[in-house]
Amino acid sequence: MQIVKLEPSKHVKERWLIWLEDGSFLRVTENEVVSFALYTGMELSDELYDRLSDAAGRSAARSKALDHISSRPMSRKELIDKLTTRPPKGKDGRERKAPATPEQAAEVADWLEDLGYLNDGEYAKTVARHYSAKGYGERKVRDELFRRGVPRQYWEEALRESQSPETGVDEFLRKRFKGQTPDQKELKRASDALARRGYRWNEIREGLNRYGAGIDEE
């Protein structure tokens, strides 16, 4: 198969477009253009085409992964899911390919871990600090770590980065009651709200006692 046209993209930096004689085209990076010594008129054997297509796919997966992790931190699982999830159909109704195969996504994740850009242990600590600073308890933090695909081996160390439950409960009650003395219904609503935020009942009860209030046991 012959390359009938080879030119840099007008819209994406460092991307090149290859038009082939059968009417199809490939998107490659400058790295593939150089490493495969591509030029207009070049004949591509089936074996060479497959190698070029695979290399282009791996480069595209790396580029997409870097876009994702530069926008926000994420876990290895989150990144792989994003790379292997097929986008919605285009305006023409056609199915669109996922940015990467599972093998390419795993390879890219390994590459980013080696570079230090992807680190589940540090990401777990970031999640724990973020949610505890927003006033959520340990159960909520654990739920978020699970939802984001962080391996459980990193949870306990990450949870040590959280603020104490006493601090979270006390701040919530101060903001909620603003120095006022709540009645039993208000106390019940506050305790239910704290439970929804991931605090355990003993942490809530102790916080109410520190505030100078109590709640009837049911």
Side-chain angles (χ1 to χ4, degrees):
M1 191 180 302
Q2 188 180 70
I3 297 176
V4 297
K5 188 178 182 181
L6 172 65
E7 66 177 17
S9 170
K10 296 181 176 64
H11 307 291
V12 182
K13 186 179 180 182
E14 296 184 0
R15 174 181 288 175
W16 285 67
L17 304 177
I18 302 173
W19 280 267
L20 302 170
E21 61 183 332
D22 65 354
S24 63
F25 72 94
L26 283 174
R27 297 182 180 91
V28 299
T29 68
E30 192 172 282
N31 182 61
E32 283 79 59
V33 174
V34 173
S35 61
F36 285 84
L38 301 176
Y39 58 90
T40 299
M42 181 178 181
E43 290 287 344
L44 298 177
S45 65
D46 290 344
E47 185 269 338
L48 183 57
Y49 174 85
D50 289 342
R51 285 173 48 211
L52 176 59
S53 181
D54 181 65
R58 293 176 188 280
S59 291
R62 286 190 175 194
S63 178
K64 196 69 175 178
L66 288 170
D67 287 343
H68 284 312
I69 65 170
S70 64
S71 63
R72 72 167 181 86
M74 60 181 59
S75 69
R76 178 188 175 98
K77 182 179 183 303
E78 285 179 304
L79 178 63
I80 289 177
D81 286 348
K82 282 185 175 293
L83 292 175
T84 56
T85 298
R86 180 179 292 176
K89 292 181 180 179
K91 292 182 179 179
D92 57 4
R94 293 183 180 178
E95 295 285 352
R96 300 166 66 189
K97 290 175 60 178
T101 65
E103 294 77 15
Q104 290 170 341
E107 183 182 278
V108 169
D110 291 342
W111 172 64
L112 290 172
E113 285 177 337
D114 288 342
L115 292 175
Y117 295 144
L118 196 64
N119 185 315
D120 277 347
E122 291 304 312
Y123 178 61
K125 294 176 184 178
T126 298
V127 171
R129 287 193 296 265
H130 173 75
Y131 280 92
S132 70
K134 291 182 70 173
Y136 289 101
E138 182 181 313
R139 288 188 303 175
K140 171 65 174 177
V141 176
R142 287 180 180 275
D143 286 347
E144 284 298 320
L145 292 172
F146 175 79
R147 186 175 71 83
R148 294 163 186 267
V150 177
R152 290 180 182 271
Q153 69 199 68
Y154 300 113
W155 289 18
E156 296 308 317
E157 184 176 355
L159 288 165
R160 289 195 284 272
E161 299 281 317
S162 303
Q163 68 178 3
S164 69
E166 291 84 1
T167 298
V169 171
D170 290 351
E171 287 183 359
F172 177 88
L173 294 176
R174 282 197 298 270
K175 292 178 180 178
R176 180 97 174 196
F177 298 139
K178 299 178 181 178
Q180 303 298 311
T181 302
D183 60 25
Q184 286 297 311
K185 287 184 178 180
E186 291 171 329
L187 289 172
K188 183 65 166 63
R189 285 195 290 268
S191 67
D192 288 346
L194 284 165
R196 289 192 296 271
R197 295 179 75 84
Y199 290 99
R200 295 183 174 86
W201 169 239
N202 67 301
E203 295 167 344
I204 298 169
R205 184 181 62 244
E206 291 169 2
L208 290 170
N209 289 335
R210 286 192 299 274
Y211 188 80
I215 186 168
D216 294 335
E217 297 277 2
E218 292 187 357

